[in-house]
Amino acid sequence: MTTTFKDASAQEIAQVMEKSWQAFLAYKKFSLKQRADFMRAIATELENIRARVIPVAMEETHLPEGRMNGELSRTIFQLNDYGKAAEEGSWLEARINTAGQDPSKPDLRKMLVPLGPVVVFGASNFPFAYSTAGGDTACAFAAGCPVVVKAHPAHAGTSEIVAEAIVKAAKDTGMPEGIFAHVHGASFETGKALVMHPLTKAVGFTGSLAGGRSLFDMAGQRKEPIPVFAEMGSVNPVFLFPEKLKQDGEAVAKTYAASITQGVGQFCTNPGLIFGVEGEDLQRFLGVLAGELQKVAPANMLHPGIAKAFWQKRAKALEQKDVHTEVAAAGEAEALQGVPTLASATATAFLNNPVLHQEVFGPYSLVIKCKDANEMLQAVLHTEGQLTSTLMATDDDMQKHPELVDAVQNLCGRLVMNGVPTGVEVCLAMQHGGPYPATTDSRFTSVGSDGIKRFARPMCFQNFSNHLLPEELQNANPLGIWRTVNDALTQSAL
Amino acid sequence: MTTTFKDASAQEIAQVMEKSWQAFLAYKKFSLKQRADFMRAIATELENIRARVIPVAMEETHLPEGRMNGELSRTIFQLNDYGKAAEEGSWLEARINTAGQDPSKPDLRKMLVPLGPVVVFGASNFPFAYSTAGGDTACAFAAGCPVVVKAHPAHAGTSEIVAEAIVKAAKDTGMPEGIFAHVHGASFETGKALVMHPLTKAVGFTGSLAGGRSLFDMAGQRKEPIPVFAEMGSVNPVFLFPEKLKQDGEAVAKTYAASITQGVGQFCTNPGLIFGVEGEDLQRFLGVLAGELQKVAPANMLHPGIAKAFWQKRAKALEQKDVHTEVAAAGEAEALQGVPTLASATATAFLNNPVLHQEVFGPYSLVIKCKDANEMLQAVLHTEGQLTSTLMATDDDMQKHPELVDAVQNLCGRLVMNGVPTGVEVCLAMQHGGPYPATTDSRFTSVGSDGIKRFARPMCFQNFSNHLLPEELQNANPLGIWRTVNDALTQSAL
């Protein structure tokens, strides 16, 4: 059973955005605690619908029950965590410079205020955590913005049930009508109408480079351009340093076989490129990795579109000149399945062929054999921006190759040391973002409560009477938040 | 004597950007203290060249000595202040989440790192404070980025002397070659080549809407889009509330006459629109304002281009249907002079004619007569984004019109209460930015040390050995900076 939904018309979208704007005018005045209570209520509702929504999500995404349950729990955690952060208030960046004894100086007080209605495009590979009630939605609510979600057509039924839960939580906590809207639309036109509507003030997107760039370009062509944070995936290069490879090659290979195939490789942090210096150690690594990957059975991908793209991009990659297929199939595979695949090529081939830089979304990785560390450096300098990069290196390796380490760091938003890029912890110190084409703005993150700042802007109040200021900026600091008062961080009253 | 300079060729620009990139690789590893020392050295050099540069700046800009001296002092203050902020380190947003007892959790540590070479386009109206060694340059150096300045052709000689001072300071403090470059170019092509060069990673601009939007559009069309913070001016609407107007109308009118004509009206915070409810009080206000403006003598504008634009836009505004000229000339004016000008129109005319919303850069203001507070609200809802808005209101006025106050706040980055928008204090709590078309990204500021964040991005280190981490993130907190450790702000070691 697949539920189908009608695309929203331009007129419906205009009505949704008008309502969203009215909700913004009300919601922006709600207290931080009210925002957090609303988010906690959504979290509770998601727990309430668990038994009902998991089977629907499993059917729509072909993801197993354990993963779906875990992802729903992560989504609940995000709502609670970002709600708590919203309430704690550090993210507001409250700054106060008092006039002091100088009558010519103004009293200036600044804090972040919400941008306005945010349009969220969810990810196909995370039907809960980066979709309807996912990270972008949670960040927008925390910032004080209403949200309009365009349901991902690949899990429209799941999205519908989650949307109902949000609407119920909104009613239960007295939120304004229009605080959340859920729009269906499999067509390009629906997304375009949402991004181009003058009352849309920001966009959150998780998906492909083509999709994200097209929304970014549209937003830039508006009369009033708006920020688009598009997280568009990554090949997450891994760099095997010589000493580490000699010491731990086999263990690293086993770890990576698991990382490459986790969730049928359908993660934006999947390691798609592995660089090493050619020689005995790299050959041994390749052998073990190939052996491990051969043991992994093919598995259903999220939906036919994803599977089709995997097979096409995989075929294109494997047919490139100087690309050697190391592992191609583990038993019989069906068209909807992802098959663990490993290929290798020289750094020269990599440097000369942009196709080898492209993401093959699925359980696929390409090992690049470099002549030496210098050629590895050249390869790094010709690699595009990434969500993550990983250094597999001993301390000695790191100290011997400072220029290489530095170049790898320039590539990415998160630099992993002796681990795997898959697994994105939800916490304040996480950075899930990176230089283009990983995202459209490397200055922001879509995971962790710093993601709230995507949807807020500083607002300065000059010479306001104390009682007319927002609570956050009043002398007494009634909320007890951290503020920078005359250049010193403090929780004290003035 | 006017100095003329040759436009940089595409080849020269490519060389400059290559050097800038090499400087970036070195400078990004310099300590916060080294960055601050460099900035303090520039400040010292600017003091050293004061006697030499002020006459050149006066000749190029027609601005008086007092203003030029004050602006140079402000520029020196900015360099010292942002340098101090860079060193203090709060802006780095250092966050640490330790793994704790859970072996499945990673150790994550995040801080802001520089974006790369920043191209700065200075403002014609601030030859020091928003030009060569101005706010954008200071923010970029503080962030750890090299700077390439495109000299403003209207004060190329001033720019050249300031550039020499920066180069000397860079040498004296052991900065890498290429940390700063100064490029001349009166043509559109020079600016375009700088913005489009692949090694340019961000752009700072202060100037016109047409100029800023065109750089923003170019940057968005790059293969790798880059952030452009363009501050593009504003009409800075002022809202006269009924009770305030009745109580203080005359005093307000006198204050505003000074604000409108300060610096021949050549400020991006110049009050270009004044809204009031028609009636006796507004008429009296208009009368006093007109009388005061008539007393102000015309004065030379910055350069012929600015004066020409003033006369053209002024003429266009005054010839619009239903626009009444209240003050048109004070004595004989020359073509290079700005003449204090006041006009009035009804809110109906304002609502129906976009020309009346446009900035007339110079000593010009338009009073909009509204039938009542509701029509004033309609006018606000149809006003574009602004750097500032001003409420001239008693506490009673504020309490009687919450919807109007809220709508005015939505417009702007800084909301002034019972004051004038001109005068932009350099401090952390300042917000000099605002919704489009005031700037291209309302989430950032170009005044105050928060402006540093325009040129930096978060970088997360996962599972790094303590000694391989940047000092800012090491357990011992050797720099003693504020960090958020396991969700709590602290200056302590781990």
Side-chain angles (χ1 to χ4, degrees):
Chain A
M1 177 207 76
T2 314
T3 326
T4 55
F5 296 92
K6 215 173 120 268
D7 281 15
S9 69
Q11 200 189 347
E12 282 163 342
I13 286 169
Q15 282 168 357
V16 161
M17 293 316 304
E18 281 290 345
K19 264 197 191 170
S20 188
W21 183 260
Q22 291 308 318
F24 168 60
L25 297 181
Y27 187 52
K28 73 201 281 280
K29 288 187 209 151
F30 281 34
S31 69
L32 296 175
K33 182 174 183 305
Q34 283 174 301
R35 294 186 203 170
D37 284 343
F38 170 41
M39 294 170 70
R40 285 187 280 259
I42 303 172
T44 303
E45 280 308 315
L46 291 185
E47 198 56 69
N48 290 342
I49 61 164
R50 188 183 286 270
R52 183 156 67 101
V53 75
I54 295 285
V56 178
M58 286 171 63
E59 190 178 337
E60 285 186 322
T61 65
H62 308 109
L63 291 168
E65 186 170 1
R67 155 74 193 275
M68 287 291 82
N69 262 311
E71 195 187 315
L72 185 59
S73 297
R74 178 196 179 98
T75 311
I76 290 168
F77 175 79
Q78 286 174 171
L79 285 156
N80 285 320
D81 187 59
Y82 302 175
K84 190 175 149 198
E87 208 170 359
E88 191 268 340
S90 294
W91 71 275
L92 292 168
E93 298 181 352
R95 282 96 158 79
I96 297 176
N97 283 94
T98 57
Q101 301 304 311
D102 186 345
S104 75
K105 284 202 188 283
D107 179 287
L108 295 163
R109 304 186 184 210
K110 180 169 73 167
M111 61 181 274
L112 296 188
V113 298
L115 288 181
V118 174
V119 168
V120 172
F121 293 82
S124 68
N125 59 337
F126 279 95
F128 296 121
Y130 300 102
S131 283
T132 320
D136 289 356
T137 298
C139 285
F141 284 151
C145 300
V147 171
V148 177
V149 164
K150 195 192 82 59
H152 198 291
H155 54 252
T158 304
S159 196
E160 189 71 24
I161 298 172
V162 171
E164 284 166 22
I166 299 174
V167 169
K168 178 168 188 314
K171 277 191 188 151
D172 290 351
T173 52
M175 290 296 127
E177 210 199 323
I179 182 77
F180 175 79
H182 189 238
V183 170
H184 289 282
S187 79
F188 177 78
E189 291 310 314
T190 313
K192 185 174 176 185
L194 285 166
V195 172
M196 297 307 281
H197 195 282
L199 294 176
T200 300
K201 296 301 174 190
V203 175
F205 169 90
T206 311
S208 70
L209 175 56
R213 179 70 192 238
S214 120
L215 296 182
F216 175 82
D217 288 346
M218 276 181 225
Q221 284 152 21
R222 286 169 50 120
K223 186 182 173 200
E224 176 199 356
I226 52 171
V228 172
F229 186 84
E231 190 269 82
M232 304 175 289
S234 196
V235 281
N236 305 293
V238 177
F239 300 90
L240 307 172
F241 281 61
E243 196 177 272
K244 179 72 180 176
L245 193 59
K246 184 182 289 294
Q247 284 180 10
D248 284 337
E250 289 185 32
V252 171
K254 286 178 184 173
T255 307
Y256 269 83
S259 177
I260 293 166
T261 55
Q262 194 185 339
V264 203
Q266 298 165 116
F267 291 114
C268 45
T269 53
N270 191 60
L273 275 175
I274 300 173
F275 294 85
V277 174
E278 59 187 5
E280 246 177 55
D281 297 330
L282 187 60
Q283 275 312 119
R284 204 180 61 233
F285 167 85
L286 253 179
V288 177
L289 181 54
E292 293 293 318
L293 289 176
Q294 259 147 359
K295 294 182 202 163
V296 182
N300 277 343
M301 297 193 80
L302 287 156
H303 59 82
I306 293 261
K308 193 177 162 196
F310 170 73
W311 285 102
Q312 281 176 347
K313 291 193 175 163
R314 176 183 179 277
K316 190 175 172 192
L318 296 180
E319 81 194 13
Q320 297 299 306
K321 190 166 167 282
D322 298 328
V323 168
H324 302 277
T325 305
E326 304 277 348
V327 176
E332 297 284 307
E334 293 169 27
L336 287 179
Q337 293 187 320
V339 173
T341 307
L342 184 69
S344 68
T346 61
T348 313
F350 177 79
L351 286 166
N352 291 309
N353 188 350
V355 172
L356 304 189
H357 299 222
Q358 288 168 9
E359 187 179 12
V360 178
F361 191 75
Y364 169 92
S365 200
L366 174 65
V367 174
I368 303 294
K369 299 177 180 182
C370 309
K371 282 194 206 81
D372 51 28
N374 188 47
E375 200 181 42
M376 198 187 286
L377 174 60
Q378 291 311 310
V380 174
L381 296 176
H382 290 85
T383 297
E384 295 76 15
Q386 305 287 339
L387 291 169
T388 77
S389 302
T390 301
L391 304 165
M392 300 304 294
T394 65
D395 280 11
D396 264 10
D397 282 325
M398 295 283 280
Q399 271 143 16
K400 270 185 199 151
H401 304 286
E403 208 182 341
L404 181 58
V405 170
D406 195 49
V408 172
Q409 181 185 319
N410 277 347
L411 288 183
C412 67
R414 178 164 57 107
L415 186 59
V416 181
M417 179 118 197
N418 294 325
V420 292
T422 41
V424 181
E425 192 69 21
V426 180
C427 67
L428 186 61
M430 174 50 68
Q431 171 63 9
H432 193 64
Y436 188 89
T439 74
T440 44
D441 194 339
S442 66
R443 297 173 300 173
F444 295 94
T445 180
S446 61
V447 176
S449 56
D450 273 334
I452 301 173
K453 295 192 199 176
R454 291 176 293 169
F455 305 125
R457 66 185 180 90
M459 173 80 212
C460 174
F461 298 84
Q462 180 169 327
N463 287 342
F464 264 59
S465 307
N466 187 58
H467 68 282
L468 294 173
L469 284 164
E471 277 188 307
E472 292 84 348
L473 297 175
Q474 289 178 7
N475 290 338
N477 193 14
L479 303 179
I481 61 172
W482 281 99
R483 312 188 295 188
T484 306
V485 178
N486 295 323
D487 298 345
L489 263 167
T490 174
Q491 284 178 294
S492 302
L494 252 72
Chain B
M1 176 208 79
T2 313
T3 326
T4 55
F5 296 93
K6 216 174 119 267
D7 282 14
S9 69
Q11 200 187 348
E12 281 161 344
I13 285 169
Q15 281 168 358
V16 161
M17 293 315 308
E18 281 290 344
K19 264 196 190 168
S20 189
W21 183 259
Q22 291 307 317
F24 168 61
L25 296 180
Y27 186 52
K28 71 200 285 280
K29 288 187 211 149
F30 281 33
S31 69
L32 296 175
K33 181 173 182 308
Q34 282 173 302
R35 294 186 203 170
D37 285 342
F38 169 42
M39 294 170 70
R40 284 187 281 258
I42 302 171
T44 303
E45 281 308 315
L46 291 185
E47 199 55 70
N48 290 342
I49 60 163
R50 187 183 286 268
R52 183 157 67 99
V53 76
I54 294 286
V56 178
M58 285 170 64
E59 190 178 336
E60 286 186 323
T61 65
H62 308 108
L63 290 168
E65 188 172 359
R67 156 72 195 274
M68 287 292 81
N69 263 311
E71 193 186 316
L72 184 59
S73 296
R74 179 196 178 97
T75 310
I76 289 167
F77 175 79
Q78 285 174 171
L79 285 156
N80 285 320
D81 187 60
Y82 302 175
K84 191 175 148 199
E87 208 171 0
E88 191 268 340
S90 295
W91 71 275
L92 292 168
E93 299 182 350
R95 282 96 158 80
I96 298 176
N97 283 94
T98 57
Q101 301 305 311
D102 186 344
S104 76
K105 284 201 187 283
D107 178 288
L108 295 163
R109 305 185 184 211
K110 180 168 74 165
M111 62 181 274
L112 297 188
V113 298
L115 287 181
V118 174
V119 169
V120 172
F121 294 81
S124 68
N125 59 335
F126 279 96
F128 297 122
Y130 300 102
S131 282
T132 320
D136 289 354
T137 298
C139 285
F141 284 153
C145 300
V147 171
V148 178
V149 164
K150 196 193 78 61
H152 198 290
H155 54 252
T158 306
S159 196
E160 189 71 25
I161 298 172
V162 172
E164 284 167 21
I166 299 174
V167 169
K168 179 167 186 316
K171 276 191 187 147
D172 290 352
T173 52
M175 290 296 127
E177 210 198 322
I179 181 79
F180 175 79
H182 189 237
V183 170
H184 289 282
S187 79
F188 176 79
E189 290 309 315
T190 313
K192 185 175 176 183
L194 286 165
V195 172
M196 298 306 283
H197 196 283
L199 293 177
T200 300
K201 296 302 174 190
V203 175
F205 169 90
T206 310
S208 69
L209 175 57
R213 179 70 192 240
S214 122
L215 296 182
F216 175 82
D217 287 345
M218 277 181 222
Q221 284 152 20
R222 286 168 50 119
K223 188 183 171 198
E224 176 199 356
I226 52 171
V228 172
F229 185 84
E231 190 268 83
M232 303 175 291
S234 197
V235 281
N236 305 292
V238 177
F239 300 89
L240 306 172
F241 282 61
E243 196 177 270
K244 179 72 179 175
L245 193 59
K246 184 181 290 295
Q247 285 180 10
D248 284 337
E250 291 185 30
V252 171
K254 287 178 184 174
T255 306
Y256 268 85
S259 178
I260 291 165
T261 55
Q262 195 186 340
V264 204
Q266 299 166 112
F267 291 115
C268 47
T269 53
N270 190 62
L273 275 176
I274 300 173
F275 293 85
V277 174
E278 59 188 5
E280 247 177 53
D281 297 330
L282 187 61
Q283 274 314 116
R284 204 178 62 233
F285 167 86
L286 253 178
V288 177
L289 181 57
E292 293 292 318
L293 289 175
Q294 259 147 0
K295 295 182 201 163
V296 182
N300 278 341
M301 297 194 79
L302 288 157
H303 61 80
I306 292 263
K308 192 176 162 198
F310 170 72
W311 285 102
Q312 281 176 348
K313 290 194 176 164
R314 177 183 177 276
K316 189 174 173 195
L318 296 181
E319 80 193 14
Q320 296 300 304
K321 189 165 166 282
D322 298 328
V323 169
H324 303 276
T325 304
E326 306 276 347
V327 177
E332 298 282 306
E334 294 170 25
L336 286 178
Q337 293 186 320
V339 173
T341 307
L342 184 69
S344 68
T346 61
T348 312
F350 178 80
L351 285 166
N352 290 310
N353 188 350
V355 173
L356 305 190
H357 300 224
Q358 288 169 10
E359 187 179 10
V360 178
F361 191 75
Y364 169 92
S365 200
L366 174 65
V367 174
I368 303 295
K369 299 176 181 182
C370 308
K371 284 196 207 80
D372 50 27
N374 188 48
E375 201 183 41
M376 197 186 285
L377 174 61
Q378 290 312 308
V380 174
L381 296 176
H382 290 85
T383 297
E384 295 75 15
Q386 305 287 339
L387 292 169
T388 77
S389 302
T390 301
L391 303 166
M392 301 304 293
T394 64
D395 280 11
D396 262 12
D397 281 326
M398 296 282 281
Q399 271 144 16
K400 270 186 200 149
H401 304 287
E403 207 182 341
L404 181 57
V405 170
D406 195 50
V408 171
Q409 182 185 320
N410 277 348
L411 287 182
C412 67
R414 177 164 56 105
L415 186 58
V416 181
M417 179 119 199
N418 294 323
V420 293
T422 42
V424 180
E425 191 69 22
V426 180
C427 67
L428 186 61
M430 175 51 69
Q431 170 63 8
H432 194 64
Y436 188 89
T439 74
T440 45
D441 194 340
S442 66
R443 296 172 300 172
F444 295 94
T445 180
S446 60
V447 176
S449 56
D450 273 334
I452 301 173
K453 294 191 201 176
R454 290 175 293 169
F455 306 126
R457 65 183 180 91
M459 173 80 212
C460 175
F461 299 85
Q462 178 169 328
N463 287 341
F464 265 60
S465 309
N466 186 58
H467 68 281
L468 293 174
L469 283 165
E471 276 188 307
E472 291 84 346
L473 297 175
Q474 288 177 8
N475 290 339
N477 193 14
L479 303 179
I481 61 173
W482 282 99
R483 311 188 296 188
T484 306
V485 178
N486 295 325
D487 298 345
L489 264 168
T490 175
Q491 285 179 295
S492 303
L494 251 72

